[in-house]
Amino acid sequence: QVLEDGAQVELTTGYHCGVTNSLTAAALEMRRLGTEPPSAYWNRLERMYEYSLLLTKPDGTQPSLGDSWGGRPLSFIRKGGELFERPDMVFVASNGKEGERPGFLDTRLPAAGYYVMRTSWTDNPNGIYLLLDAAHHWGGWHQHYDALGIVLYAYGKTLTPDAGPFAYDSPQRPVFQGTPAHSTLTVDEANQNTSPCVLHAMTGDSRLGIIDASQTGYAGVTHRRQVLFIRPTAESAPYVVLVDRVTGEGDHVLDLHFHLQESPVVTSQEQMSTRTVVADSANILTQAIWQHGVEFRPGSSWIMTGYGEKADRPDVVFRQTGSLPKAFVTLLIPTEDASAPRIAARVLGQPDVTGAIGVEVKAPWGTDTVQVGLQVGSMRVDGIEATARAVLHRADGKGTVMCRTILGE
């Protein structure tokens, strides 16, 4: 019923809280009646509260994973903090007004398969939060076919929210549960199978983070997603580079979906980009920066707004067809307002699906070069040989090196 990292086996954030409350009530009733539950029970129960702590976004809400629809579990997390004397839980539950800030930012839930990179907890709701769903087992009826989907939150808004379950008795439920309704890759417009994901790496520092995972979600096809989070600094804004590699056999139709917040959009066929434009709010630019052989198909999808209620929202689709292997390289830029980001990016050379892929990003602070390989290996950075999995090299407008981050294991 409960995995080692505290995840309830159905892998839905909403049902997780309900099951935790039931198990807590049972333990407290046993204690009241004079029978103390074993320490292993209490330890696993504490992990369940910790699980919710680690998934909480900077605004205090949780990602709508599986059959969940948002929710703000801060009172739930506070109960765990008080029950287990956890000042980090109290800190998150109180929006940083009480307790102690957790001594870390990025988190792994290795049994469930959820991985988060962030810049803040609930004491700063304008932080950045990025989750990769690399579920390591199938949770059953309440789980969605959403392997390697991402949830990006920034500046007070969830910019790529999950669709939600809609309604259990609706004929439209399979649409909400299906792979095309999530920010991930589909093959031949079909749902993924229930194969577990594999984590290849998660590492980072104060400037660059990477999560690298794969799934064999279609017969004879492997999708590997590498999420590179370039963190904000005093002089630079955040952005995300996604490298999606598809290997296997045969000819296929590959669709890379990005489902955005409800919003009007500005779309450029020439730049293969879509930008949401919500006034006085955070927004996101989504752009294919490797465009050779890519078809840009902006459209719309549904998002649940209440039980049995839905609304339209943008669905950005990048399509490639033909024989494998193929690669997609995508840029995601969150912005604090509706103004267009002053960033331009390009892929360096021909993407090597089986090797290192490099991206150049020109921005107001200078020029970034981001490289990522399939494993730790030799990379050349500004004339210097480095042994790395991923690299960020940053130079100012005069070519002076501002920083160089080299990530290994």
Side-chain angles (χ1 to χ4, degrees):
Q1 185 65 260
V2 181
L3 304 179
E4 291 84 355
D5 56 16
Q8 196 264 343
V9 293
E10 292 175 302
L11 297 185
T12 61
T13 43
Y15 285 105
H16 174 90
C17 292
V19 171
T20 306
N21 282 329
S22 296
L23 294 176
T24 301
L28 294 177
E29 181 64 10
M30 288 177 65
R31 176 178 283 175
R32 187 186 71 81
L33 295 173
T35 301
E36 183 68 19
S39 60
Y41 186 102
W42 287 115
N43 290 339
R44 189 60 58 89
L45 190 60
E46 183 178 356
R47 296 286 82 74
M48 296 185 78
Y49 285 101
E50 186 174 82
Y51 175 85
S52 292
L53 164 78
L54 299 181
L55 286 180
T56 298
K57 292 180 283 187
D59 66 346
T61 62
Q62 292 204 321
S64 299
L65 301 172
D67 283 343
S68 300
W69 45 97
R72 187 178 171 86
L74 296 189
S75 60
F76 169 84
I77 294 172
R78 175 177 280 277
K79 180 167 68 174
E82 293 171 350
L83 183 61
F84 294 103
E85 300 181 350
R86 289 281 300 267
D88 55 343
M89 293 184 186
V90 173
F91 180 90
V92 169
S94 67
N95 298 319
K97 297 180 177 65
E98 305 171 51
E100 297 177 8
R101 179 186 284 105
F104 52 88
L105 289 170
D106 297 350
T107 53
R108 305 179 182 213
L109 291 162
Y114 296 140
Y115 301 91
V116 175
M117 297 184 286
R118 64 167 77 232
T119 64
S120 73
W121 298 94
T122 53
D123 54 324
N124 178 12
N126 287 321
I128 316 296
Y129 168 108
L130 180 59
L131 177 145
L132 178 67
D133 178 344
H136 296 325
H137 85 113
W138 177 247
W141 195 80
H142 284 299
Q143 193 170 349
H144 290 189
Y145 300 94
D146 57 0
L148 303 182
I150 61 165
V151 176
L152 175 60
Y153 167 103
Y155 308 121
K157 288 285 185 179
T158 302
L159 302 175
T160 62
D162 265 2
F166 187 56
Y168 294 147
D169 58 352
S170 169
Q172 294 171 331
R173 170 176 160 76
V175 176
F176 284 79
Q177 191 181 28
T179 307
H182 297 84
S183 294
T184 188
L185 178 97
T186 63
V187 177
D188 299 326
E189 301 180 284
N191 285 336
Q192 302 161 339
N193 60 38
T194 59
S195 299
C197 294
V198 175
L199 179 73
H200 300 285
M202 180 178 180
T203 186
D205 67 2
S206 62
R207 294 182 181 270
L208 174 65
I210 179 174
I211 309 172
D212 181 352
S214 65
Q215 189 212 22
T216 306
Y218 299 89
V221 176
T222 297
H223 172 208
R224 183 159 175 176
R225 168 160 278 186
Q226 297 174 300
V227 183
L228 295 139
F229 176 32
I230 292 75
R231 303 177 189 269
T233 66
E235 73 276 357
S236 64
Y239 61 92
V240 178
V241 174
L242 287 177
V243 176
D244 290 280
R245 308 170 191 249
V246 189
T247 57
E249 303 171 351
D251 290 354
H252 297 281
V253 177
L254 308 176
D255 288 323
L256 193 63
H257 289 264
F258 295 94
H259 298 272
L260 311 181
Q261 62 177 331
E262 296 173 67
S263 171
V265 295
V266 174
T267 295
S268 169
Q269 281 286 347
E270 180 182 3
Q271 296 182 359
M272 291 194 180
S273 68
T274 294
R275 178 168 59 89
T276 62
V277 283
V278 181
D280 302 318
S281 177
N283 286 278
I284 183 172
L285 172 77
T286 306
Q287 181 180 13
I289 52 176
W290 174 251
Q291 300 181 357
H292 180 73
V294 177
E295 180 184 353
F296 179 41
R297 299 164 61 93
S300 65
S301 61
W302 288 329
I303 187 170
M304 177 182 178
T305 56
Y307 193 81
E309 300 173 353
K310 64 184 187 299
D312 291 334
R313 48 112 169 237
D315 176 19
V316 182
V317 183
F318 303 117
R319 170 173 284 189
Q320 293 191 55
T321 60
S323 59
L324 303 182
K326 302 283 188 188
F328 295 84
V329 186
T330 311
L331 180 68
L332 305 179
I333 307 176
T335 57
E336 295 187 69
D337 54 34
S339 59
R342 295 163 53 203
I343 293 178
R346 67 184 181 96
V347 175
L348 298 173
Q350 174 85 16
D352 181 0
V353 179
T354 61
I357 291 178
V359 174
E360 180 185 80
V361 178
K362 291 186 177 293
W365 58 83
T367 300
D368 290 352
T369 302
V370 182
Q371 295 185 58
V372 62
L374 289 174
Q375 60 274 319
V376 175
S378 178
M379 292 185 184
R380 192 167 184 82
V381 186
D382 192 33
I384 299 172
E385 289 289 337
T387 300
R389 180 182 295 275
V391 170
L392 168 65
H393 172 83
R394 175 168 293 168
D396 64 16
K398 298 179 180 180
T400 302
V401 177
M402 300 169 67
C403 74
R404 184 180 293 120
T405 292
I406 299 173
L407 300 181
E409 292 297 342

